[in-house]
Amino acid sequence: EAGVAQSPRYKIIEKRQSVAFWCNPISGHATLYWYQQILGQGPKLLIQFQNNGVVDDSQLPKDRFSAERLKGVDSTLKIQPAKLEDSAVYLCASSLDPTSTYEQYFGPGTRLTVT
Amino acid sequence: AQSVTQPDIHITVSEGASLELRCNYSYGATPYLFWYVQSPGQGLQLLLKYFSGDTLVQGIKGFEAEFKRSQSSFNLRKPSVHWSDAAEYFCAVGDNTNAGKSTFGDGTTLTVKP
């Protein structure tokens, strides 16, 4: 089966610009996650969707970050305006079910550099 | 709040030697525990997981991990390391009461010497 797809793979922007990332999960996976992975750290959950509803967005900086999952399939994560500290790899993952018993499958990530 | 500590930032072992990566967790109930591997430029791949039952868990690529409740640990082991095992390894604890939220450690980078 096809894995989790993400685009773009790399993005360089200047601070205060906006950027968007796209994720297409594995077919049939109801749960979708966006993580931020800063260099030298583990992934940190930004937002979790179950179908097209938000389950957890407690760590999403809502003043600048937004995410949507229209029709319960693919998803976009947007940053507007970007700050230097947003430089990180943004990982998308999906799973069949939101409970921890189901494996999360990760995409390759988008590496964002903010200058 | 749940948390994970991986005490070793970087470990170097010789090819063919045994490996143990340490993981300590903090969680109020019986945890769900995971080990993931991340190769450069790649996403994370699940190596193994523990939910309940036998405390020694077998995973892919010859890895195993042992859950020790008394020590709040879930250390990853491999008896003989291959050069292809060089990567970053992440331990994670999953919330078994909330919608599967996982908290990751900061990872251990494994270097394999020829």
Side-chain angles (χ1 to χ4, degrees), chain A residues 66-77:
Chain A
S66 64
E68 60 182 9
R69 190 184 184 196
L70 300 177
K71 301 182 181 178
V73 182
D74 54 357
S75 175
T76 56
L77 176 69

Side-chain angles (χ1 to χ4, degrees), chain A residues 29-34 45-58 60 67-76 93 95 97-98, chain B residues 98-99:
Chain A
H29 281 195
T31 307
L32 186 147
Y33 310 80
W34 282 103
L45 180 68
L46 292 175
I47 189 167
Q48 177 182 342
F49 292 95
Q50 173 69 6
N51 296 309
N52 60 352
V54 175
V55 174
D56 185 340
D57 64 357
S58 57
L60 186 73
E68 60 182 9
R69 190 184 184 196
L70 300 177
K71 301 182 181 178
V73 182
D74 54 357
S75 175
T76 56
S95 69
D97 183 276
Chain B
N98 197 4

Side-chain angles (χ1 to χ4, degrees), chain A residues 9 33 35 37 40-45 48 55-56 58-59 91 98-109, chain B residues 32 34 36 38 41-46 49 51 88 90 93-96 98-107:
Chain A
R9 292 294 310 276
Y33 310 80
Y35 289 89
Q37 186 178 18
Q41 300 181 18
K44 182 185 80 172
L45 180 68
Q48 177 182 342
V55 174
D56 185 340
S58 57
Q59 297 192 85
L91 295 167
T99 62
S100 290
T101 54
Y102 285 88
E103 177 178 351
Q104 294 185 32
Y105 293 82
F106 285 80
Chain B
Y32 293 169
F34 309 84
Y36 289 85
Q38 186 178 33
Q42 305 293 317
L44 280 72
Q45 181 185 20
L46 182 68
K49 58 188 176 184
F51 295 146
E88 190 156 21
F90 292 93
V93 59
D95 186 342
N96 64 18
N98 197 4
K101 179 177 179 178
S102 290
T103 300
F104 289 80
D106 285 336

Side-chain angles (χ1 to χ4, degrees), chain A residues 17-29:
Chain A
Q17 286 186 323
S18 63
V19 64
F21 312 127
W22 173 82
C23 172
N24 186 251
I26 293 173
S27 177
H29 281 195

